[in-house]
């Protein structure tokens, strides 16, 4: 039985505007549009919407979802198996984070002692939650090159990234202009250029500003320690000003 857009939105729990937008970009078009302008969605539309929302739950950009489901080789059952696999991996990471929170509470109460490494178990920065926005700002080529570098990173390189964040978090109460802070932030500058693309000092400073201007970045970075985003922004700004060509 065909469903109108308002009925479908109510069933799924998303907005009518979202369904309209999916139609506008050709991601999910209704099976039929009546002479009166009503969008009517079929059972097949519902199945495809489920696929789309599974992909969105895994933070996949709409552009990539559209390319995938529009492919002649797209297999719904295989896609569901992949969804299941990735969701299980996501659940495993969340379990680790919950365990880290539990241990942190006990640590604060003095019931146990946590090592610095244990304080950050479960965090995963291999996936970029801002990829879609980055593509809009800097284009597909720059993002694809960056992702290729990330995919090719060795475990040693990934450990370097984690160690830099931990080091910066440990000195975040020092002056961002101090020798210690500038030495650590240079490690971050070199790490970005070696693994994620090409950053001029000016671009590096702009990135640091985004850490405080965009609350999503701030929240993500401050998981390592309250105030870390602001500290990194100030340290990156000072570093960039001191290293202008």
């Amino acid at each position: 039985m065909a469903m109108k857009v308002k009925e479908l939105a109510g069933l799924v729990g998303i907005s009518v505007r979202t369904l309209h937008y999916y139609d506008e970009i050709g991601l999910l078009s209704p099976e039929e549009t009546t002479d009166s302008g009503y969008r009517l969605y079929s059972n097949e539309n519902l199945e495809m919407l489920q696929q789309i929302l599974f992909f969105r739950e895994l933070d996949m950009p709409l552009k990539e979802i559209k390319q995938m489901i529009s492919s002649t080789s797209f297999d719904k059952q295989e896609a569901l198996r992949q969804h299941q696999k990735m969701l299980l991996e996501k659940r495993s990471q969340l379990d680790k984070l919950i365990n880290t929170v539990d241990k942190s509470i006990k640590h604060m109460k003095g019931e146990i002692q946590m090592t610095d490494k244990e304080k950050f178990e479960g965090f995963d920065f291999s996936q970029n939650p801002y990829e879609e926005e980055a593509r809009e700002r800097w284009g597909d080529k720059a993002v694809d090159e960056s992702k290729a570098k990330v995919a090719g990173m060795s475990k040693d390189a990934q450990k370097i990234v984690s160690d830099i964040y931990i080091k910066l978090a440990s000195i975040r109460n020092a002056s961002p202009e101090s020798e210690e802070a500038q030495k650590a932030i240079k490690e971050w500058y070199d790490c970005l250029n070696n693994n994620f693309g090409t950053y001029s000092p000016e671009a590096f400073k702009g990135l640091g500003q985004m850490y405080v201007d965009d609350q999503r970045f701030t929240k993500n970075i401050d998981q390592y320690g309250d105030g870390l985003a602001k500290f990194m922004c100030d340290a990156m700004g000072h570093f960039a000003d001191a290293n202008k060509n």
Side-chain angles (χ1 to χ4, degrees), residues 79-124:
L80 285 172
R81 283 191 286 270
Q82 289 300 316
H83 291 319
Q84 183 183 50
K85 177 183 177 182
M86 288 186 283
L87 287 169
L88 287 172
E89 291 174 354
K90 186 175 182 179
R91 184 174 70 180
S92 176
Q93 185 204 352
L94 289 174
D95 287 341
K96 290 178 182 178
L97 284 172
I98 292 170
N99 183 56
T100 298
V101 171
D102 289 341
K103 291 171 69 175
S104 297
I105 292 172
K106 292 178 181 178
H107 173 76
M108 294 179 71
K109 289 181 177 180
E111 297 175 3
I112 63 171
Q113 289 294 319
M114 294 180 73
T115 66
D116 288 340
K117 183 178 181 180
E118 287 176 325
K119 293 175 183 178
F120 300 101
E121 288 181 349
F123 290 105
D124 181 8

Side-chain angles (χ1 to χ4, degrees), residues 133-152:
E133 184 173 332
R135 288 183 182 278
E136 292 176 358
R137 293 190 181 195
W138 299 304
D140 289 337
K141 181 179 179 181
V143 176
D144 288 339
E145 288 178 351
S146 177
K147 287 186 70 178
K149 286 190 174 184
V150 174

